[in-house]
Amino acid sequence: MTGDVAVSLSVLAVVVLLSDVTRRMLVRALADPGLSSYAVELVSTFQLCCCTHELKLLSEVGGIPPQLALTLTYVTSVAHGLTFRGAVGNPCGALEHAYRARFSAGCALGRIACQFAAAVAARVAVPVIWGMGLSGLHSRHKLLGFPCVSAIHASLPEAAAVELVCAFAVQTVITHTQSVEERYRVHAVAAAITTAVYAGGRVTGAVFNPALAFSTQFPCSGNSFLDYCFVYWLGPLLGMMSSVLLSDKLKPAFSPKSPSLHLPLRAKKQT
């Protein structure tokens, strides 16, 4: 198992490093900021999906201890946060940015298209990497034909509710850490992601990302395409929307009121 873990860690490191180099080259090569943002989104989501495929293989087939799986989830989440260079990597995140007018509708749709294209590319590329037989785990998985079984271990409404709660929790942390310095914020978001994976992983795999689920969960046997759409697309979307709308409703209540509102009427006139 130690050798398999070492090889998988090497694969993760190579994917992150190559993706980062590619991002930097594309940003320099593409003069148009709009095109470079789409390119960064494509590469970053590809990185996210490839790393998740490898972690999923280690956890489900490799049988690594849960503590190690959660540690790797946290570390890779931090790595993604530090290297994404403004990419979102999640269709729900792109829609949230559009809702807050940070992205135009066209920009959000373009980023979502890039995310799903990257998800498909990762789904094609990862079996090629596994097919090289870099580790015993990869070789065994290849001999079995790269099998994949649904991670849904509950009724569809319960599974969708788990994805909803996970997306709600992570989006809430993302929303309320906007003012935190980035090098600290990535750790808070990574901790939220790891906690969500710990809480919901046994029920749905705790993906809470429609593009990532399209890459890692939709090819698996055990449920239909519509089942996966209901759990992994509708659940996270509702979770993100609930978090954003609730935050918008509660923010005025907790924001400091203007001191002038508490002044007597005579004092207000004098000012």
Side-chain angles (χ1 to χ4, degrees), residues 92 95 167-168 171 235-247:
C92 294
L95 292 175
F168 178 92
Q171 180 60 51
L237 179 60
L238 293 178
M240 179 277 293
M241 291 173 57
S242 300
S243 174
V244 170
L245 294 176
L246 185 62
S247 296

Side-chain angles (χ1 to χ4, degrees), residues 54-138:
E54 190 67 27
L55 291 175
K56 185 171 181 281
L57 179 67
L58 267 179
S59 180
E60 295 181 0
V61 182
I64 61 174
Q67 297 85 349
L68 178 57
L70 291 173
T71 300
L72 293 177
T73 298
Y74 175 82
V75 172
T76 54
S77 297
V78 171
H80 296 326
L82 292 174
T83 60
F84 267 23
R85 298 174 67 88
V88 180
N90 188 334
C92 294
L95 292 175
E96 186 260 342
H97 280 289
Y99 168 77
R100 297 194 183 282
R102 299 189 192 116
F103 294 162
S104 66
C107 177
L109 291 176
R111 285 178 179 256
I112 291 172
C114 290
Q115 290 161 3
F116 277 99
V120 173
R123 197 161 76 182
V124 173
V126 168
V128 175
I129 298 173
W130 291 338
M132 297 177 184
L134 300 175
S135 68
L137 175 61
H138 290 175

Side-chain angles (χ1 to χ4, degrees), residues 213-233:
F214 190 71
S215 185
T216 61
Q217 303 296 336
F218 276 58
C220 300
S221 61
N223 288 93
S224 68
F225 179 82
L226 291 179
D227 291 344
Y228 289 131
C229 290
F230 180 73
V231 173
Y232 293 114
W233 287 2

Side-chain angles (χ1 to χ4, degrees), residues 15 30 114 232 255:
V15 168
L30 298 174
C114 290
Y232 293 114
S255 60

